[in-house]
């Protein structure tokens, strides 16, 4: 009896040009969501990305799928900035400062209206990206706190809310003209995080979990 062998299944990998198209769509969507909000027409996003509408819908069958991918992309890029800061040696608070400014450059403030949208808040991709950034920021803050440089009464939620709020343009102002002021305002906030604390904060340190339940 002759033994038969089963040929290994060939794994189909996305073509390089398909991956590039997907990345162009996500980049264009991130830019346009920041400039115009999460309701910008998908056809306009495809046009800015330089792809056809069919290519956009092949990658993202609906708006929720695209918004979720943009949110995860921004969270992942922010996590990479946190990892770079954690890899630094020397001044722990300086590493935290550089992460905060890098987060503002990723325009995480634009995530707020999108995260509050209709898409699945518990999608595995979103939860994984969110958990990663929260853990990394906690490590950055713990290190600065252990060095005696960060006041003890602030939490990850305090930091991330402040970054999102302070990097958001005031009503009636253009988002893209804000860059000259964001980092100045953030540095004022960061100086207030330094130990020893000059005041007693009301309430308790804010966590990300607490924010989601509020």
């Amino acid at each position: 009896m002759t033994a038969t062998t089963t040929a290994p299944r060939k794994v189909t990998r996305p073509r390089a040009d398909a991956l590039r198209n997907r990345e162009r769509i996500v980049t264009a969507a991130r830019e346009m969501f920041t400039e115009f909000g999460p309701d910008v027409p998908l056809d306009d996003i495809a046009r800015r990305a330089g792809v056809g509408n069919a290519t956009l819908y092949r990658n993202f069958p609906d708006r929720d799928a695209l918004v979720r991918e943009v949110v995860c992309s921004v969270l992942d890029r922010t996590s990479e900035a946190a990892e770079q800061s954690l890899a630094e040696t020397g001044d722990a608070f300086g590493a935290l400062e550089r992460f905060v400014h890098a987060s503002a450059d990723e325009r995480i403030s634009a995530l707020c209206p999108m995260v509050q949208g209709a898409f699945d808040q518990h999608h595995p991709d979103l939860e994984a990206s969110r958990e990663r950034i929260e853990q990394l920021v906690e490590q950055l803050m713990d290190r600065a706190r252990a060095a005696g440089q960060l006041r003890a009464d602030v939490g990850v939620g305090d930091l991330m809310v402040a970054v999102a709020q302070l990097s958001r343009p005031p009503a009636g102002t253009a988002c893209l003209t804000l860059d000259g002021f964001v980092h100045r305002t953030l540095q004022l906030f960061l100086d207030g995080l330094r130990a020893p604390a000059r005041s007693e904060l009301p309430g308790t340190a804010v966590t990300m979990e607490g924010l989601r339940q509020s």
Side-chain angles (χ1 to χ4, degrees), residues 84-96:
Q84 291 174 7
S85 296
L86 280 170
E88 297 178 10
T89 57
D91 183 21
F93 195 91
L96 180 63

Side-chain angles (χ1 to χ4, degrees), residues 21 26 65 71 83-84 90 92 134 150 154 186:
N21 283 340
V26 173
V71 171
E83 288 176 337
Q84 291 174 7
E134 290 173 16
L150 176 66
V154 294
L186 284 173

Side-chain angles (χ1 to χ4, degrees), residues 125-162:
D125 291 347
L126 179 61
E127 290 196 330
S129 295
R130 192 162 52 200
E131 182 178 342
R132 179 187 175 200
I133 185 61
E134 290 173 16
Q135 290 176 349
L136 289 167
V137 175
E138 187 70 64
Q139 291 176 48
L140 276 169
M141 296 180 72
D142 283 346
R143 194 169 68 173
R145 200 176 287 114
Q149 297 174 302
L150 176 66
R151 57 190 298 166
D153 55 353
V154 294
V156 174
D158 292 304
L159 181 72
M160 299 308 288
V161 165

Side-chain angles (χ1 to χ4, degrees), residues 151-213:
R151 57 190 298 166
D153 55 353
V154 294
V156 174
D158 292 304
L159 181 72
M160 299 308 288
V161 165
V163 174
Q165 293 295 326
L166 293 175
S167 58
R168 182 181 297 178
T173 60
C175 178
L176 298 182
T177 64
L178 186 67
D179 290 345
F181 307 98
V182 164
H183 295 290
R184 176 182 173 87
T185 306
L186 284 173
Q187 193 59 50
L188 285 170
F189 161 71
L190 285 163
D191 287 347
L193 292 184
R194 284 189 177 274
R198 295 181 178 271
S199 63
E200 182 176 346
L201 296 177
T204 58
V206 178
T207 66
M208 295 303 292
E209 184 61 29
L211 286 173
R212 285 193 287 271
Q213 293 176 356

Side-chain angles (χ1 to χ4, degrees), residues 78 81-82 85 97-108 183:
T78 306
S85 296
E97 285 182 319
R98 284 183 283 279
F99 163 72
V100 166
H101 287 293
S103 297
D105 287 337
E106 290 298 334
R107 302 192 183 279
I108 64 170
H183 295 290

